Amino acid sequence: MPIANMSLTRPNARLLARTHRTFASQIRHYAAPGEGTVPAAKKKYVPTSGTYPLGFRAGSAHVGVKPSNTRFDDLALIASDSPCSGAAVFTTNKFQAAPVTVSRDMLKQRSGDGIRAVVVNSGCANAVTGKGGIEDAIQMGQETDRCFIQDSNGEDDGQGSRSIVMSTGVIGQRLPIQKIISKLPTAYYNLGGSHDHWLGAARAICTTDTFPKLVSKTFTLPSSSEEYHIAGMTKGAGMIHPNMATLLGIICTDAPIAPAPLQQALTSAITKSFNSISIDGDTSTNDTVAILANGAAGGETISSTSSKDFEAFQATLTEFAIDLAKLVVRDGEGATKFVTIRVTNAKTYNDAKRVGSSIARSPLVKTALYGKDANWGRILCATGYAEGVESVVPEETSVSFIPADGSEELKLLVRGEPEQVDEERAAKILESEDLEIVVRLSEKFDAEATVWTCDFSHEYVTINGDYRT
């Protein structure tokens, strides 16, 4: 087409200015693990103190796994003073990283017994790295084991490694394994039981996270007068979607529980926590959540899943895992909103969960929330295409926003009929960082599920556009 005939549209200056202001206000900077100041809005999620389980210590060291990281710790070690029970849940991605394979095999060989430590590096995932990657993960575990030989309980019992290995970061690159193992003794000698030690380890496992995620609490069991402690850290900000997400989690407790019931309690807890969050619909190669229990606080060992102590412990662990998982969503890459999606009146829990997950991973829903647009049609659409769901009754379906300030719900759709939406109030509700969406599927059923997610912003693209380089 000749230039003289081309029709050029002048840009909308007001729109460009508004878009620039919105994008600029959401910028967050990241480079190396734990780098920079925690954003002001996130500081409230970083604990200033904690109550940590007896007989566990945490430490960290600087390796420089990523060449750009010249000063921040990127190697973490969490250890029990004595051999303990261990359990873990791993990613279901068919391309499973070397540390996932090695740690799963180790736990199976030891039947979850006699575990001493969890060792984690950030900056490199050691995923899709072939036989060399497997060898690196094995060596990482073995060299961690060597650190405990000097302990009275550190002797080799002939059953192989006692260390769970985790890695997180860029996929497809080999670990600088010699640099890592040279700093393992440093991480070991830096072990301690203070809040600063635990927080330092939580920082060391971060990648694009903007704040370290650490939770601790106390609890009791029906058969004991002892006070027990549980503490955990997690990392993850993107590539998050069940099963599981691109996250790592380490949980420790001084309650006495045998490996088999410990594994069952963790698996159950994961279903309603780490497997109920979504940031971008991507499932990673490295996802691992592990738990160690050393019984250092005393009491009778929980060896049966039918006991009241087990029921109480499972309830505590589930609530605790939910608290940890929510922090991952709070730190979603580029996220400006924390969104709770509660799906009720479903035929089964799985139906409700599938609908919630469908809404949570919809780019159209997530971008509308970022734009503060009460576009409930997108929520309804994602409800309708949820796969394998038998509970959706269009003429009985309702959708509402539940404001974070506790005021009356804003009804958007009631029994299949659209409401006259107060757009001004809807926009005000969407200004808040927290939002709850409730979807009622029918009038005949009563099962429900909750999924947590966040919005999609310009910055999500920025972060993931240059993550590797």
Side-chain angles (χ1 to χ4, degrees):
M1 179 185 296
I3 294 178
N5 293 334
M6 290 183 66
S7 176
L8 300 177
T9 302
R10 296 183 66 183
N12 186 319
R14 182 179 298 176
L15 176 62
L16 287 176
R18 185 176 65 191
T19 302
H20 175 74
R21 285 197 304 270
T22 300
F23 178 67
S25 68
Q26 303 301 335
I27 291 292
R28 73 174 184 181
H29 303 283
Y30 69 94
E35 186 170 5
T37 303
V38 174
K42 307 292 184 181
K43 287 182 179 179
K44 60 189 174 185
Y45 303 119
V46 181
T48 56
S49 63
T51 305
Y52 298 100
L54 305 178
F56 280 102
R57 294 174 291 152
S60 60
H62 172 253
V63 175
V65 174
K66 257 188 168 182
S68 59
N69 176 19
T70 59
R71 59 195 179 99
F72 296 101
D73 286 2
D74 51 0
L75 180 67
L77 182 62
I78 298 90
S80 172
D81 290 341
S82 60
C84 62
S85 299
V89 175
F90 300 96
T91 180
T92 59
N93 193 305
K94 290 183 173 61
F95 289 96
Q96 298 192 348
V100 168
T101 300
V102 169
S103 295
R104 178 189 284 116
D105 289 349
M106 184 276 291
L107 286 169
K108 183 177 180 180
Q109 180 175 334
R110 300 193 67 92
S111 298
D113 191 37
I115 311 302
R116 287 301 301 270
V118 179
V119 60
V120 191
N121 78 270
S122 61
C124 178
N126 191 13
V128 198
T129 45
K131 294 181 179 178
I134 295 290
E135 292 170 358
D136 290 342
I138 291 173
Q139 187 175 6
M140 194 167 159
Q142 289 176 339
E143 293 300 324
T144 301
D145 296 334
R146 290 182 190 278
C147 294
F148 296 95
I149 293 299
Q150 59 187 297
D151 295 350
S152 59
N153 292 320
E155 297 86 356
D156 183 0
D157 62 358
Q159 297 184 55
S161 178
R162 298 176 181 269
S163 300
I164 295 172
V165 179
M166 300 182 185
S167 297
T168 183
V170 178
I171 294 172
Q173 297 180 3
R174 289 283 297 275
L175 289 175
I177 190 61
Q178 293 305 318
K179 290 176 65 177
I180 289 174
I181 63 176
S182 71
K183 289 301 182 73
L184 277 169
T186 302
Y188 174 80
Y189 286 114
N190 286 341
L191 287 172
S194 73
H195 173 71
D196 286 344
H197 285 97
W198 282 86
L199 190 61
R203 286 185 186 277
I205 68 176
C206 292
T207 50
T208 60
D209 308 61
T210 65
F211 67 93
K213 301 162 185 65
L214 177 67
V215 177
S216 63
K217 64 182 296 184
T218 60
F219 65 98
T220 58
L221 296 173
S223 71
S224 176
S225 60
E226 303 291 345
E227 181 179 68
Y228 296 104
H229 310 80
I230 186 169
M233 63 187 70
T234 187
K235 65 80 51 185
M239 212 175 186
I240 303 288
H241 189 72
N243 290 306
M244 288 182 337
T246 181
L247 58 84
L248 302 180
I250 304 104
I251 301 171
C252 300
T253 180
D254 51 20
I257 180 166
L262 185 64
Q263 180 67 63
Q264 183 166 324
L266 179 65
T267 301
S268 176
I270 292 297
T271 298
K272 293 187 176 182
S273 58
F274 289 104
N275 273 352
S276 290
I277 61 175
S278 183
I279 287 176
D280 49 20
D282 267 321
T283 299
S284 177
T285 54
N286 289 59
D287 318 326
T288 304
V289 175
I291 183 169
L292 303 181
N294 65 7
E300 186 176 348
T301 299
I302 301 172
S303 56
S304 170
T305 57
S306 60
S307 69
K308 289 184 178 180
D309 278 357
F310 176 79
E311 292 177 5
F313 177 76
Q314 182 169 275
T316 295
L317 180 59
T318 299
E319 180 183 351
F320 184 82
I322 288 173
D323 289 343
L324 273 177
K326 284 181 177 180
L327 290 178
V328 174
V329 179
R330 292 274 182 199
D331 200 26
E333 288 176 342
T336 68
K337 285 183 173 47
F338 176 85
V339 185
T340 299
I341 302 171
R342 188 160 55 91
V343 181
T344 69
N345 299 92
K347 187 175 183 179
T348 63
Y349 170 80
N350 285 337
D351 267 13
K353 179 84 169 285
R354 289 186 183 113
V355 170
S357 180
S358 181
I359 297 168
R361 67 175 183 267
S362 166
L364 291 179
V365 171
K366 295 161 83 69
T367 50
L369 293 173
Y370 173 64
K372 305 178 181 63
D373 180 9
N375 195 337
W376 57 266
R378 294 181 177 181
I379 298 170
L380 200 66
C381 184
T383 298
Y385 64 60
E387 296 183 359
V389 175
E390 300 177 357
S391 304
V392 179
V393 182
E395 60 271 19
E396 297 177 6
T397 300
S398 299
V399 179
S400 295
F401 285 163
I402 308 297
D405 62 7
S407 60
E408 185 180 358
E409 71 177 291
L410 178 63
K411 296 179 180 179
L412 307 170
L413 182 77
V414 178
R415 299 184 184 89
E417 296 289 337
E419 293 288 286
Q420 188 65 40
V421 178
D422 182 342
E423 295 292 347
E424 186 175 342
R425 182 167 184 245
K428 185 174 179 59
I429 290 172
L430 289 170
E431 287 284 345
S432 175
E433 178 185 346
D434 286 34
L435 171 70
E436 181 176 349
I437 298 171
V438 175
V439 179
R440 301 173 177 89
L441 299 182
S442 71
E443 297 178 352
K444 298 184 280 291
F445 311 121
D446 59 5
E448 65 176 81
T450 303
V451 174
W452 296 276
T453 191
C454 58
D455 56 346
F456 261 166
S457 71
H458 301 83
E459 197 194 351
Y460 178 84
V461 178
T462 300
I463 291 172
N464 286 283
D466 67 3
Y467 176 71
R468 189 176 70 88
T469 54

